Amino acid sequence: MFAQGAVHVGHAVDPAAVGASVWPEFGFSDMVRHATGLFGLLVVFVYSFLIAFALPGVSEVVLLAPIELGLTYWQRMAVIIFVSGVGKAAGSVFAFHIGQEAKEAGPIVRALRRSRFDVVEWSEKRTVELAQKWGYAGLAAALCVPGFPDTLSIYAFSVLEEDYLKFAVATFVGSVGRLVITLVGVEAVLAVGWV
């Protein structure tokens, strides 16, 4: 579906066109959309790692990577989703560590509260609701929402929670879930012929 020149469900899809129309361009996403081979998997991993704690944007762009490793379409998508999930889980552990440090560094939280848009208050409110009701499953569920910036959920949970392993597992599950939901949604749209 996303590989340039590939025909899937009777449609030829140009990844650059899909990427430009669905996901905003943040520089790194262009590199992902042109990543091929084993180096391409490294690019997917690094992009997913960075999107967990530093890059703006969404992680779904990794589905556009035209990685060719002699695999079938579905095998390639599974490998990309797995590598992206591992990258985001690793990046989330880094963000988790930063969040743990921020709990101890009051000036950082106070500065965020004084910012024009109180990110801390908004994310804390939503995150506390999810964490109290669902715990780490709430983090995984929040990360399953396509198009929502991952960084906000990850940092908000990182300040509230304390278990690195559970945090990484929840992030992996949420990341994989998000990409699977996106892929299934795009496939359904293509199958119905809305695109």
Side-chain angles (χ1 to χ4, degrees):
M1 174 184 77
F2 291 120
Q4 193 161 1
V7 176
H8 187 66
V9 192
H11 297 83
V13 179
D14 177 6
V18 172
S21 65
V22 178
W23 294 288
E25 178 60 49
F26 290 111
F28 281 100
S29 62
D30 190 48
M31 180 185 285
V32 171
R33 286 197 315 262
H34 293 91
T36 60
L38 291 176
F39 178 74
L41 288 177
L42 178 63
V43 169
V44 166
F45 177 87
V46 170
Y47 179 79
S48 299
F49 179 88
L50 292 173
I51 202 104
F53 72 91
L55 291 179
V58 295
S59 58
E60 292 88 341
V61 74
V62 299
L63 295 173
L64 299 174
I67 295 170
E68 294 299 333
L69 297 170
L71 303 173
T72 68
Y73 170 77
W74 291 109
Q75 289 170 335
R76 182 168 49 94
M77 288 293 110
V79 169
I80 289 171
I81 289 170
F82 177 78
V83 169
S84 178
V86 170
K88 197 181 299 178
S92 74
V93 169
F94 186 75
F96 188 81
H97 179 71
I98 293 170
Q100 297 301 306
E101 295 294 322
K103 281 197 286 193
E104 307 301 323
I108 294 171
V109 174
R110 283 194 300 275
L112 286 171
R113 287 189 191 283
R114 287 191 304 260
S115 68
R116 187 171 158 203
F117 175 69
D118 194 348
V119 173
V120 174
E121 181 183 340
W122 183 87
S123 62
E124 276 180 353
K125 182 178 178 183
R126 299 296 180 268
T127 303
V128 167
E129 291 170 4
L130 281 171
Q132 287 175 336
K133 188 169 185 174
W134 303 103
Y136 289 100
L139 171 59
L143 291 174
C144 279
V145 178
F148 190 74
D150 302 316
T151 312
L152 186 61
S153 297
I154 289 171
Y155 275 114
F157 267 86
S158 72
V159 173
L160 297 171
E161 301 297 340
E162 297 183 356
D163 189 314
Y164 278 82
L165 180 60
K166 288 180 182 176
F167 193 81
V169 170
T171 304
F172 177 81
V173 169
S175 301
V176 167
R178 175 186 189 138
L179 293 175
V180 168
I181 289 169
T182 301
L183 185 60
V184 168
V186 170
E187 288 295 323
V189 167
L190 289 175
V192 173
W194 291 344
V195 176

